[in-house]
Amino acid sequence: MFFFSVFFYVAIAFLLVVRYFNEVRASRFIISLFITISALNILVIQTLHFLRLLDNPLTYLFVQVFLCALCALLLIDPKKKLFKTPLNWPQVSCSKISWVEGILFFFLCIVLAGVFYVGTLSPINNSDSLQTHLPRMFYWLQHRSLISWYPTAATQLSYPVNITFLGLWAFLLSGSEMYLFVPMWLSLVAIAALVFEIALLLGAQREAAITASLVAISLPVVLMQTYSYQGDAFVAAQVLCVIFFLLLYSTQKKNTDLVLSALVMAIALGSKQTAILFLPIYLLSLLLLILGKTLNFRSFLNTILLAILFFGVFSSLKFVQNL
């Protein structure tokens, strides 16, 4: 069932990359898949919480298919009420690759494949995950909802939950702890794709962009986070997503870039407290866009309001429960 679930998320990610980018490029598809899984999984888990059916994988798939079908309808938009243009068959971006780019890309794939292989050898077992993140996931499954309890560690209740939701998805549908590393590995792949795209937007050549990605994911502290639910890799990918969409807005001035930046920022705030450290930078970036006359004040207010709305939908549940 886990692979069926991944298939539906992949389908929505494909529609998203076609609708938003108007082309299919591997790096941008990975970014779309990362956002799709992050956002829709939260909605599915919260729906199952209110239904008190959090331990039922079939119900998860049913709710997921329903939400994916709704997203597909919105993205296809057959009556052109949401988008002014129809969803056209995309252009596949396959530019010529130099031998230097090929070698760099080969080493990039080797690193990602090696990290994936190591993840299949044993379940996540670092102390922080075992003390804080994984116990609450199993408690939720046992009680079929996200209700709080008398914990052995206060952090089991106080820490944000969006990262743990990904582990809940992987374990619930696979029935195995061996799949718990997959969401964190996907975060590592997303980091590689985002560093590549950001480097291109900043004017780097493709060889330099691939090198930047290779260096970013090869740092030991980054690789170690792939096997932990401390969530630093996941939040780093979310922050890079925000930066990516802000850079896109500065170049193409599409309001959807601001919407997606607000969405990802809201999800990041519900994932780990360290995301709060990036919030002033996000607001400062929007103010700089205003000073540069790239963003008007009305769009700035709309972006802030959307971020607050998205936070309420995707990240506020556990904070409300802890009041």
Side-chain angles (χ1 to χ4, degrees):
M1 283 190 286
F2 179 70
F3 295 104
F4 278 112
S5 177
V6 171
F7 170 79
F8 289 118
Y9 284 140
V10 167
I12 297 303
F14 178 79
L15 291 176
L16 178 60
V17 75
V18 171
R19 168 61 72 183
Y20 183 70
F21 296 109
N22 297 318
E23 67 173 350
V24 176
R25 194 160 75 192
S27 55
R28 295 192 171 185
F29 172 76
I30 292 170
I31 295 170
S32 299
L33 179 62
F34 178 72
I35 296 172
T36 299
I37 293 177
S38 301
L40 289 183
N41 182 64
I42 294 172
L43 295 180
V44 176
I45 295 294
Q46 290 184 160
T47 301
L48 295 181
H49 158 69
F50 290 113
L51 294 175
R52 295 299 178 94
L53 293 172
L54 199 54
D55 64 335
N56 193 318
L58 288 177
T59 306
Y60 182 102
L61 278 179
F62 177 80
V63 175
Q64 180 193 355
V65 170
F66 174 78
L67 291 177
C68 286
L70 184 61
C71 289
L73 183 62
L74 293 175
L75 290 171
I76 295 173
D77 194 21
K79 296 185 178 181
K80 301 179 183 178
K81 292 185 177 181
L82 191 60
F83 301 97
K84 296 181 180 179
T85 57
L87 187 69
N88 297 319
W89 186 253
Q91 298 178 351
V92 180
S93 180
C94 292
S95 56
K96 187 177 180 180
I97 300 176
S98 68
W99 66 272
V100 176
E101 293 172 5
I103 293 175
L104 290 171
F105 182 73
F106 173 76
F107 281 114
L108 183 67
C109 292
I110 288 295
V111 172
L112 292 174
V115 174
F116 186 89
Y117 172 73
V118 172
T120 63
L121 298 180
S122 67
I124 289 177
N125 55 18
N126 66 302
S127 60
D128 186 69
S129 298
L130 294 176
Q131 180 183 11
T132 299
H133 304 285
L134 300 185
R136 57 181 178 177
M137 182 183 76
F138 294 122
Y139 184 92
W140 294 336
L141 288 173
Q142 180 181 359
H143 293 266
R144 312 180 72 184
S145 71
L146 303 174
I147 59 174
S148 298
W149 69 100
Y150 294 103
T152 55
T155 52
Q156 295 174 2
L157 298 182
S158 62
Y159 276 11
V161 293
N162 288 347
I163 294 173
T164 314
F165 284 173
L166 291 172
L168 186 59
W169 162 62
F171 180 79
L172 177 64
L173 296 187
S174 68
S176 172
E177 294 181 353
M178 300 299 293
Y179 286 81
L180 287 174
F181 83 97
V182 173
M184 298 301 106
W185 180 81
L186 177 61
S187 301
L188 186 67
V189 178
I191 289 173
L194 285 159
V195 171
F196 174 78
E197 287 289 338
I198 290 172
L200 291 180
L201 287 173
L202 293 176
Q205 298 296 321
R206 287 197 304 179
E207 293 92 339
I210 299 175
T211 302
S213 296
L214 181 58
V215 171
I217 68 169
S218 300
L219 296 174
V221 66
V222 177
L223 295 176
M224 291 295 291
Q225 285 298 319
T226 310
Y227 313 111
S228 169
Y229 268 77
Q230 290 177 315
D232 293 296
F234 180 78
V235 172
Q238 296 283 355
V239 168
L240 288 172
C241 269
V242 176
I243 296 172
F244 171 64
F245 288 121
L246 289 177
L247 287 174
L248 272 183
Y249 179 80
S250 67
T251 57
Q252 60 187 20
K253 297 177 178 61
K254 290 171 58 177
N255 288 330
T256 47
D257 296 326
L258 294 176
V259 174
L260 289 173
S261 73
L263 171 63
V264 179
M265 187 71 244
I267 294 175
L269 291 173
S271 302
K272 191 176 176 70
Q273 297 98 321
T274 50
I276 299 175
L277 299 175
F278 181 73
L279 184 59
I281 300 175
Y282 177 62
L283 296 175
L284 179 61
S285 300
L286 293 177
L287 291 175
L288 290 175
L289 289 175
I290 293 177
L291 294 176
K293 297 183 179 180
T294 305
L295 178 68
N296 58 53
F297 190 71
R298 181 176 180 181
S299 297
F300 170 78
L301 289 179
N302 289 337
T303 303
I304 299 301
L305 291 175
L306 276 175
I308 294 173
L309 175 63
F310 287 142
F311 179 82
V313 173
F314 291 94
S315 300
S316 66
L317 179 61
K318 181 51 63 176
F319 293 102
V320 172
Q321 287 181 337
N322 289 336
L323 291 177

mmCIF file of all heavy atoms in Angstrom, residues 21-63:
data_model
loop_
_atom_site.group_PDB
_atom_site.id
_atom_site.type_symbol
_atom_site.label_atom_id
_atom_site.label_comp_id
_atom_site.label_asym_id
_atom_site.label_seq_id
_atom_site.Cartn_x
_atom_site.Cartn_y
_atom_site.Cartn_z
ATOM 1 N N PHE A 21 5.222 24.900 -13.871
ATOM 2 C CA PHE A 21 6.473 25.181 -14.581
ATOM 3 C C PHE A 21 6.345 25.064 -16.098
ATOM 4 O O PHE A 21 7.256 25.487 -16.816
ATOM 5 C CB PHE A 21 7.581 24.238 -14.099
ATOM 6 C CG PHE A 21 7.953 24.427 -12.655
ATOM 7 C CD1 PHE A 21 7.618 23.473 -11.714
ATOM 8 C CD2 PHE A 21 8.638 25.552 -12.232
ATOM 9 C CE1 PHE A 21 7.970 23.629 -10.378
ATOM 10 C CE2 PHE A 21 8.993 25.723 -10.903
ATOM 11 C CZ PHE A 21 8.656 24.758 -9.972
ATOM 12 N N ASN A 22 5.271 24.444 -16.569
ATOM 13 C CA ASN A 22 5.037 24.270 -18.009
ATOM 14 C C ASN A 22 6.118 23.432 -18.692
ATOM 15 O O ASN A 22 6.272 23.489 -19.913
ATOM 16 C CB ASN A 22 4.936 25.633 -18.712
ATOM 17 C CG ASN A 22 3.746 26.442 -18.212
ATOM 18 O OD1 ASN A 22 2.662 25.894 -18.011
ATOM 19 N ND2 ASN A 22 3.953 27.725 -17.994
ATOM 20 N N GLU A 23 6.872 22.705 -17.930
ATOM 21 C CA GLU A 23 7.869 21.798 -18.474
ATOM 22 C C GLU A 23 8.172 20.733 -17.435
ATOM 23 O O GLU A 23 7.937 20.928 -16.244
ATOM 24 C CB GLU A 23 9.157 22.533 -18.860
ATOM 25 C CG GLU A 23 9.904 23.096 -17.677
ATOM 26 C CD GLU A 23 11.259 23.675 -18.055
ATOM 27 O OE1 GLU A 23 11.689 23.470 -19.208
ATOM 28 O OE2 GLU A 23 11.887 24.316 -17.203
ATOM 29 N N VAL A 24 8.680 19.600 -17.922
ATOM 30 C CA VAL A 24 9.053 18.523 -17.013
ATOM 31 C C VAL A 24 10.580 18.458 -16.954
ATOM 32 O O VAL A 24 11.238 18.119 -17.929
ATOM 33 C CB VAL A 24 8.483 17.171 -17.476
ATOM 34 C CG1 VAL A 24 8.966 16.056 -16.558
ATOM 35 C CG2 VAL A 24 6.962 17.208 -17.484
ATOM 36 N N ARG A 25 11.116 18.856 -15.815
ATOM 37 C CA ARG A 25 12.552 18.783 -15.563
ATOM 38 C C ARG A 25 12.732 18.049 -14.255
ATOM 39 O O ARG A 25 12.001 18.301 -13.291
ATOM 40 C CB ARG A 25 13.156 20.189 -15.504
ATOM 41 C CG ARG A 25 14.669 20.191 -15.578
ATOM 42 C CD ARG A 25 15.192 21.552 -15.994
ATOM 43 N NE ARG A 25 15.127 22.545 -14.939
ATOM 44 C CZ ARG A 25 15.321 23.848 -15.142
ATOM 45 N NH1 ARG A 25 15.536 24.278 -16.375
ATOM 46 N NH2 ARG A 25 15.277 24.688 -14.141
ATOM 47 N N ALA A 26 13.693 17.140 -14.192
ATOM 48 C CA ALA A 26 13.833 16.249 -13.043
ATOM 49 C C ALA A 26 13.903 17.006 -11.729
ATOM 50 O O ALA A 26 13.218 16.657 -10.754
ATOM 51 C CB ALA A 26 15.070 15.364 -13.227
ATOM 52 N N SER A 27 14.720 18.052 -11.670
ATOM 53 C CA SER A 27 14.895 18.788 -10.422
ATOM 54 C C SER A 27 13.592 19.447 -9.976
ATOM 55 O O SER A 27 13.241 19.425 -8.791
ATOM 56 C CB SER A 27 15.995 19.838 -10.569
ATOM 57 O OG SER A 27 15.728 20.704 -11.656
ATOM 58 N N ARG A 28 12.853 20.021 -10.920
ATOM 59 C CA ARG A 28 11.607 20.688 -10.561
ATOM 60 C C ARG A 28 10.499 19.679 -10.240
ATOM 61 O O ARG A 28 9.624 19.966 -9.418
ATOM 62 C CB ARG A 28 11.185 21.636 -11.680
ATOM 63 C CG ARG A 28 12.172 22.778 -11.848
ATOM 64 C CD ARG A 28 11.675 23.883 -12.734
ATOM 65 N NE ARG A 28 12.582 25.031 -12.671
ATOM 66 C CZ ARG A 28 12.359 26.190 -13.278
ATOM 67 N NH1 ARG A 28 11.265 26.362 -14.007
ATOM 68 N NH2 ARG A 28 13.219 27.182 -13.160
ATOM 69 N N PHE A 29 10.552 18.504 -10.851
ATOM 70 C CA PHE A 29 9.595 17.457 -10.478
ATOM 71 C C PHE A 29 9.855 16.992 -9.051
ATOM 72 O O PHE A 29 8.910 16.764 -8.283
ATOM 73 C CB PHE A 29 9.705 16.278 -11.440
ATOM 74 C CG PHE A 29 8.892 15.095 -11.015
ATOM 75 C CD1 PHE A 29 7.516 15.084 -11.178
ATOM 76 C CD2 PHE A 29 9.499 14.001 -10.416
ATOM 77 C CE1 PHE A 29 6.751 13.997 -10.754
ATOM 78 C CE2 PHE A 29 8.754 12.916 -9.997
ATOM 79 C CZ PHE A 29 7.371 12.910 -10.172
ATOM 80 N N ILE A 30 11.124 16.845 -8.674
ATOM 81 C CA ILE A 30 11.456 16.437 -7.305
ATOM 82 C C ILE A 30 10.946 17.465 -6.299
ATOM 83 O O ILE A 30 10.394 17.112 -5.255
ATOM 84 C CB ILE A 30 12.969 16.238 -7.171
ATOM 85 C CG1 ILE A 30 13.419 15.022 -7.975
ATOM 86 C CG2 ILE A 30 13.375 16.073 -5.699
ATOM 87 C CD1 ILE A 30 14.929 14.888 -8.099
ATOM 88 N N ILE A 31 11.117 18.745 -6.621
ATOM 89 C CA ILE A 31 10.623 19.809 -5.740
ATOM 90 C C ILE A 31 9.105 19.722 -5.608
ATOM 91 O O ILE A 31 8.557 19.829 -4.506
ATOM 92 C CB ILE A 31 11.049 21.186 -6.283
ATOM 93 C CG1 ILE A 31 12.570 21.332 -6.234
ATOM 94 C CG2 ILE A 31 10.393 22.306 -5.479
ATOM 95 C CD1 ILE A 31 13.097 22.545 -6.971
ATOM 96 N N SER A 32 8.418 19.512 -6.725
ATOM 97 C CA SER A 32 6.953 19.393 -6.703
ATOM 98 C C SER A 32 6.514 18.179 -5.891
ATOM 99 O O SER A 32 5.534 18.251 -5.134
ATOM 100 C CB SER A 32 6.411 19.293 -8.137
ATOM 101 O OG SER A 32 6.736 20.440 -8.888
ATOM 102 N N LEU A 33 7.224 17.065 -6.026
ATOM 103 C CA LEU A 33 6.887 15.857 -5.263
ATOM 104 C C LEU A 33 7.088 16.086 -3.775
ATOM 105 O O LEU A 33 6.263 15.662 -2.950
ATOM 106 C CB LEU A 33 7.748 14.690 -5.747
ATOM 107 C CG LEU A 33 7.533 13.349 -5.039
ATOM 108 C CD1 LEU A 33 6.102 12.856 -5.238
ATOM 109 C CD2 LEU A 33 8.525 12.302 -5.543
ATOM 110 N N PHE A 34 8.169 16.753 -3.416
ATOM 111 C CA PHE A 34 8.446 17.036 -2.005
ATOM 112 C C PHE A 34 7.339 17.887 -1.392
ATOM 113 O O PHE A 34 6.848 17.594 -0.285
ATOM 114 C CB PHE A 34 9.791 17.745 -1.894
ATOM 115 C CG PHE A 34 10.168 18.130 -0.492
ATOM 116 C CD1 PHE A 34 10.546 17.172 0.427
ATOM 117 C CD2 PHE A 34 10.137 19.461 -0.099
ATOM 118 C CE1 PHE A 34 10.884 17.531 1.729
ATOM 119 C CE2 PHE A 34 10.480 19.829 1.187
ATOM 120 C CZ PHE A 34 10.856 18.864 2.109
ATOM 121 N N ILE A 35 6.908 18.912 -2.095
ATOM 122 C CA ILE A 35 5.830 19.777 -1.589
ATOM 123 C C ILE A 35 4.519 19.012 -1.512
ATOM 124 O O ILE A 35 3.756 19.137 -0.544
ATOM 125 C CB ILE A 35 5.680 21.020 -2.486
ATOM 126 C CG1 ILE A 35 6.944 21.876 -2.432
ATOM 127 C CG2 ILE A 35 4.472 21.851 -2.064
ATOM 128 C CD1 ILE A 35 6.950 23.011 -3.424
ATOM 129 N N THR A 36 4.235 18.209 -2.534
ATOM 130 C CA THR A 36 2.985 17.443 -2.578
ATOM 131 C C THR A 36 2.874 16.496 -1.393
ATOM 132 O O THR A 36 1.846 16.452 -0.701
ATOM 133 C CB THR A 36 2.896 16.650 -3.890
ATOM 134 O OG1 THR A 36 2.916 17.553 -4.999
ATOM 135 C CG2 THR A 36 1.617 15.825 -3.942
ATOM 136 N N ILE A 37 3.928 15.715 -1.154
ATOM 137 C CA ILE A 37 3.904 14.767 -0.034
ATOM 138 C C ILE A 37 3.815 15.503 1.295
ATOM 139 O O ILE A 37 3.034 15.110 2.186
ATOM 140 C CB ILE A 37 5.152 13.862 -0.082
ATOM 141 C CG1 ILE A 37 5.102 12.958 -1.312
ATOM 142 C CG2 ILE A 37 5.253 13.017 1.191
ATOM 143 C CD1 ILE A 37 6.328 12.080 -1.478
ATOM 144 N N SER A 38 4.574 16.575 1.444
ATOM 145 C CA SER A 38 4.582 17.318 2.707
ATOM 146 C C SER A 38 3.197 17.866 3.035
ATOM 147 O O SER A 38 2.733 17.758 4.176
ATOM 148 C CB SER A 38 5.597 18.465 2.633
ATOM 149 O OG SER A 38 6.888 17.991 2.376
ATOM 150 N N ALA A 39 2.540 18.472 2.039
ATOM 151 C CA ALA A 39 1.264 19.147 2.291
ATOM 152 C C ALA A 39 0.098 18.174 2.395
ATOM 153 O O ALA A 39 -0.682 18.206 3.361
ATOM 154 C CB ALA A 39 0.995 20.172 1.193
ATOM 155 N N LEU A 40 -0.046 17.286 1.414
ATOM 156 C CA LEU A 40 -1.213 16.398 1.397
ATOM 157 C C LEU A 40 -1.173 15.387 2.537
ATOM 158 O O LEU A 40 -2.227 15.024 3.080
ATOM 159 C CB LEU A 40 -1.305 15.681 0.055
ATOM 160 C CG LEU A 40 -1.704 16.541 -1.144
ATOM 161 C CD1 LEU A 40 -1.833 15.705 -2.405
ATOM 162 C CD2 LEU A 40 -3.020 17.267 -0.874
ATOM 163 N N ASN A 41 0.020 14.929 2.907
ATOM 164 C CA ASN A 41 0.103 13.970 4.007
ATOM 165 C C ASN A 41 -0.415 14.579 5.310
ATOM 166 O O ASN A 41 -1.071 13.892 6.106
ATOM 167 C CB ASN A 41 1.552 13.509 4.186
ATOM 168 C CG ASN A 41 1.702 12.489 5.282
ATOM 169 O OD1 ASN A 41 1.172 11.392 5.209
ATOM 170 N ND2 ASN A 41 2.434 12.847 6.331
ATOM 171 N N ILE A 42 -0.136 15.858 5.535
ATOM 172 C CA ILE A 42 -0.642 16.533 6.736
ATOM 173 C C ILE A 42 -2.171 16.535 6.738
ATOM 174 O O ILE A 42 -2.804 16.239 7.762
ATOM 175 C CB ILE A 42 -0.104 17.971 6.809
ATOM 176 C CG1 ILE A 42 1.403 17.968 7.000
ATOM 177 C CG2 ILE A 42 -0.775 18.749 7.945
ATOM 178 C CD1 ILE A 42 2.045 19.339 6.879
ATOM 179 N N LEU A 43 -2.767 16.869 5.601
ATOM 180 C CA LEU A 43 -4.229 16.921 5.517
ATOM 181 C C LEU A 43 -4.843 15.542 5.737
ATOM 182 O O LEU A 43 -5.875 15.414 6.407
ATOM 183 C CB LEU A 43 -4.657 17.476 4.155
ATOM 184 C CG LEU A 43 -4.264 18.928 3.864
ATOM 185 C CD1 LEU A 43 -4.749 19.341 2.484
ATOM 186 C CD2 LEU A 43 -4.822 19.870 4.928
ATOM 187 N N VAL A 44 -4.222 14.508 5.182
ATOM 188 C CA VAL A 44 -4.747 13.147 5.357
ATOM 189 C C VAL A 44 -4.677 12.733 6.822
ATOM 190 O O VAL A 44 -5.657 12.219 7.389
ATOM 191 C CB VAL A 44 -3.981 12.148 4.476
ATOM 192 C CG1 VAL A 44 -4.463 10.718 4.744
ATOM 193 C CG2 VAL A 44 -4.166 12.473 3.002
ATOM 194 N N ILE A 45 -3.533 12.943 7.457
ATOM 195 C CA ILE A 45 -3.352 12.547 8.860
ATOM 196 C C ILE A 45 -4.341 13.283 9.761
ATOM 197 O O ILE A 45 -4.964 12.690 10.657
ATOM 198 C CB ILE A 45 -1.904 12.815 9.317
ATOM 199 C CG1 ILE A 45 -0.923 11.924 8.554
ATOM 200 C CG2 ILE A 45 -1.766 12.598 10.823
ATOM 201 C CD1 ILE A 45 -1.062 10.458 8.828
ATOM 202 N N GLN A 46 -4.508 14.585 9.536
ATOM 203 C CA GLN A 46 -5.437 15.355 10.369
ATOM 204 C C GLN A 46 -6.873 14.908 10.144
ATOM 205 O O GLN A 46 -7.670 14.873 11.101
ATOM 206 C CB GLN A 46 -5.280 16.850 10.064
ATOM 207 C CG GLN A 46 -3.965 17.423 10.557
ATOM 208 C CD GLN A 46 -3.835 18.928 10.335
ATOM 209 O OE1 GLN A 46 -3.036 19.591 10.974
ATOM 210 N NE2 GLN A 46 -4.618 19.477 9.427
ATOM 211 N N THR A 47 -7.228 14.543 8.931
ATOM 212 C CA THR A 47 -8.581 14.031 8.662
ATOM 213 C C THR A 47 -8.810 12.728 9.405
ATOM 214 O O THR A 47 -9.870 12.530 10.030
ATOM 215 C CB THR A 47 -8.777 13.821 7.153
ATOM 216 O OG1 THR A 47 -8.577 15.050 6.463
ATOM 217 C CG2 THR A 47 -10.185 13.303 6.855
ATOM 218 N N LEU A 48 -7.838 11.831 9.366
ATOM 219 C CA LEU A 48 -7.969 10.557 10.085
ATOM 220 C C LEU A 48 -8.026 10.781 11.589
ATOM 221 O O LEU A 48 -8.691 10.009 12.310
ATOM 222 C CB LEU A 48 -6.791 9.643 9.741
ATOM 223 C CG LEU A 48 -6.697 9.173 8.296
ATOM 224 C CD1 LEU A 48 -5.486 8.263 8.108
ATOM 225 C CD2 LEU A 48 -7.960 8.447 7.869
ATOM 226 N N HIS A 49 -7.349 11.808 12.072
ATOM 227 C CA HIS A 49 -7.416 12.135 13.499
ATOM 228 C C HIS A 49 -8.845 12.474 13.911
ATOM 229 O O HIS A 49 -9.351 11.958 14.920
ATOM 230 C CB HIS A 49 -6.489 13.308 13.802
ATOM 231 C CG HIS A 49 -6.841 14.058 15.054
ATOM 232 N ND1 HIS A 49 -6.702 13.531 16.316
ATOM 233 C CD2 HIS A 49 -7.359 15.315 15.225
ATOM 234 C CE1 HIS A 49 -7.104 14.413 17.221
ATOM 235 N NE2 HIS A 49 -7.497 15.510 16.585
ATOM 236 N N PHE A 50 -9.502 13.322 13.150
ATOM 237 C CA PHE A 50 -10.863 13.716 13.496
ATOM 238 C C PHE A 50 -11.855 12.564 13.317
ATOM 239 O O PHE A 50 -12.883 12.512 13.994
ATOM 240 C CB PHE A 50 -11.292 14.918 12.666
ATOM 241 C CG PHE A 50 -10.577 16.192 13.033
ATOM 242 C CD1 PHE A 50 -9.704 16.800 12.138
ATOM 243 C CD2 PHE A 50 -10.759 16.776 14.275
ATOM 244 C CE1 PHE A 50 -9.035 17.971 12.486
ATOM 245 C CE2 PHE A 50 -10.096 17.941 14.631
ATOM 246 C CZ PHE A 50 -9.232 18.537 13.732
ATOM 247 N N LEU A 51 -11.523 11.625 12.425
ATOM 248 C CA LEU A 51 -12.379 10.454 12.233
ATOM 249 C C LEU A 51 -12.060 9.347 13.234
ATOM 250 O O LEU A 51 -12.780 8.345 13.291
ATOM 251 C CB LEU A 51 -12.206 9.907 10.811
ATOM 252 C CG LEU A 51 -12.679 10.805 9.665
ATOM 253 C CD1 LEU A 51 -12.336 10.172 8.314
ATOM 254 C CD2 LEU A 51 -14.179 11.068 9.751
ATOM 255 N N ARG A 52 -10.993 9.513 14.005
ATOM 256 C CA ARG A 52 -10.506 8.494 14.951
ATOM 257 C C ARG A 52 -10.219 7.168 14.230
ATOM 258 O O ARG A 52 -10.553 6.079 14.711
ATOM 259 C CB ARG A 52 -11.521 8.272 16.082
ATOM 260 C CG ARG A 52 -11.744 9.476 16.998
ATOM 261 C CD ARG A 52 -10.446 9.862 17.695
ATOM 262 N NE ARG A 52 -10.584 11.026 18.538
ATOM 263 C CZ ARG A 52 -10.847 10.985 19.842
ATOM 264 N NH1 ARG A 52 -10.984 9.824 20.432
ATOM 265 N NH2 ARG A 52 -10.940 12.099 20.529
ATOM 266 N N LEU A 53 -9.588 7.273 13.059
ATOM 267 C CA LEU A 53 -9.244 6.099 12.251
ATOM 268 C C LEU A 53 -7.777 6.152 11.832
ATOM 269 O O LEU A 53 -7.418 5.727 10.734
ATOM 270 C CB LEU A 53 -10.139 6.023 11.010
ATOM 271 C CG LEU A 53 -11.619 5.744 11.244
ATOM 272 C CD1 LEU A 53 -12.406 5.891 9.953
ATOM 273 C CD2 LEU A 53 -11.809 4.341 11.818
ATOM 274 N N LEU A 54 -6.941 6.649 12.714
ATOM 275 C CA LEU A 54 -5.555 6.897 12.356
ATOM 276 C C LEU A 54 -4.753 5.612 12.169
ATOM 277 O O LEU A 54 -3.667 5.642 11.591
ATOM 278 C CB LEU A 54 -4.891 7.767 13.433
ATOM 279 C CG LEU A 54 -3.605 8.503 13.054
ATOM 280 C CD1 LEU A 54 -3.809 9.345 11.809
ATOM 281 C CD2 LEU A 54 -3.145 9.374 14.209
ATOM 282 N N ASP A 55 -5.271 4.492 12.631
ATOM 283 C CA ASP A 55 -4.538 3.230 12.517
ATOM 284 C C ASP A 55 -4.971 2.399 11.328
ATOM 285 O O ASP A 55 -4.538 1.255 11.179
ATOM 286 C CB ASP A 55 -4.715 2.408 13.797
ATOM 287 C CG ASP A 55 -6.167 1.992 14.013
ATOM 288 O OD1 ASP A 55 -7.070 2.684 13.488
ATOM 289 O OD2 ASP A 55 -6.398 0.983 14.708
ATOM 290 N N ASN A 56 -5.805 2.945 10.463
ATOM 291 C CA ASN A 56 -6.375 2.179 9.360
ATOM 292 C C ASN A 56 -5.726 2.587 8.033
ATOM 293 O O ASN A 56 -6.014 3.653 7.497
ATOM 294 C CB ASN A 56 -7.893 2.407 9.299
ATOM 295 C CG ASN A 56 -8.582 1.411 8.395
ATOM 296 O OD1 ASN A 56 -8.093 1.092 7.327
ATOM 297 N ND2 ASN A 56 -9.736 0.922 8.835
ATOM 298 N N PRO A 57 -4.860 1.746 7.452
ATOM 299 C CA PRO A 57 -4.178 2.116 6.200
ATOM 300 C C PRO A 57 -5.131 2.244 5.015
ATOM 301 O O PRO A 57 -4.908 3.069 4.131
ATOM 302 C CB PRO A 57 -3.173 0.983 5.997
ATOM 303 C CG PRO A 57 -3.681 -0.154 6.810
ATOM 304 C CD PRO A 57 -4.392 0.455 7.979
ATOM 305 N N LEU A 58 -6.197 1.448 4.993
ATOM 306 C CA LEU A 58 -7.158 1.538 3.884
ATOM 307 C C LEU A 58 -7.887 2.883 3.910
ATOM 308 O O LEU A 58 -8.119 3.498 2.857
ATOM 309 C CB LEU A 58 -8.160 0.385 3.949
ATOM 310 C CG LEU A 58 -7.614 -0.994 3.586
ATOM 311 C CD1 LEU A 58 -8.692 -2.059 3.760
ATOM 312 C CD2 LEU A 58 -7.092 -1.011 2.143
ATOM 313 N N THR A 59 -8.226 3.336 5.103
ATOM 314 C CA THR A 59 -8.872 4.641 5.220
ATOM 315 C C THR A 59 -7.908 5.746 4.811
ATOM 316 O O THR A 59 -8.307 6.734 4.178
ATOM 317 C CB THR A 59 -9.350 4.874 6.663
ATOM 318 O OG1 THR A 59 -10.163 3.784 7.070
ATOM 319 C CG2 THR A 59 -10.173 6.154 6.754
ATOM 320 N N TYR A 60 -6.628 5.582 5.149
ATOM 321 C CA TYR A 60 -5.626 6.563 4.710
ATOM 322 C C TYR A 60 -5.629 6.654 3.187
ATOM 323 O O TYR A 60 -5.666 7.761 2.618
ATOM 324 C CB TYR A 60 -4.238 6.172 5.209
ATOM 325 C CG TYR A 60 -3.170 7.186 4.833
ATOM 326 C CD1 TYR A 60 -2.699 8.103 5.762
ATOM 327 C CD2 TYR A 60 -2.640 7.233 3.535
ATOM 328 C CE1 TYR A 60 -1.734 9.046 5.421
ATOM 329 C CE2 TYR A 60 -1.688 8.166 3.183
ATOM 330 C CZ TYR A 60 -1.240 9.067 4.128
ATOM 331 O OH TYR A 60 -0.295 9.994 3.767
ATOM 332 N N LEU A 61 -5.582 5.506 2.516
ATOM 333 C CA LEU A 61 -5.564 5.507 1.053
ATOM 334 C C LEU A 61 -6.834 6.127 0.486
ATOM 335 O O LEU A 61 -6.788 6.857 -0.506
ATOM 336 C CB LEU A 61 -5.393 4.082 0.525
ATOM 337 C CG LEU A 61 -3.971 3.527 0.481
ATOM 338 C CD1 LEU A 61 -3.986 2.104 -0.049
ATOM 339 C CD2 LEU A 61 -3.071 4.394 -0.369
ATOM 340 N N PHE A 62 -7.979 5.834 1.104
ATOM 341 C CA PHE A 62 -9.240 6.381 0.616
ATOM 342 C C PHE A 62 -9.239 7.910 0.718
ATOM 343 O O PHE A 62 -9.599 8.613 -0.239
ATOM 344 C CB PHE A 62 -10.401 5.802 1.420
ATOM 345 C CG PHE A 62 -11.745 6.373 1.040
ATOM 346 C CD1 PHE A 62 -12.421 5.914 -0.075
ATOM 347 C CD2 PHE A 62 -12.330 7.388 1.799
ATOM 348 C CE1 PHE A 62 -13.653 6.452 -0.436
ATOM 349 C CE2 PHE A 62 -13.557 7.922 1.454
ATOM 350 C CZ PHE A 62 -14.222 7.448 0.326
ATOM 351 N N VAL A 63 -8.834 8.433 1.874
ATOM 352 C CA VAL A 63 -8.785 9.890 2.059
ATOM 353 C C VAL A 63 -7.747 10.503 1.129
ATOM 354 O O VAL A 63 -7.966 11.568 0.534
ATOM 355 C CB VAL A 63 -8.479 10.241 3.529
ATOM 356 C CG1 VAL A 63 -8.310 11.752 3.701
ATOM 357 C CG2 VAL A 63 -9.592 9.728 4.438
#
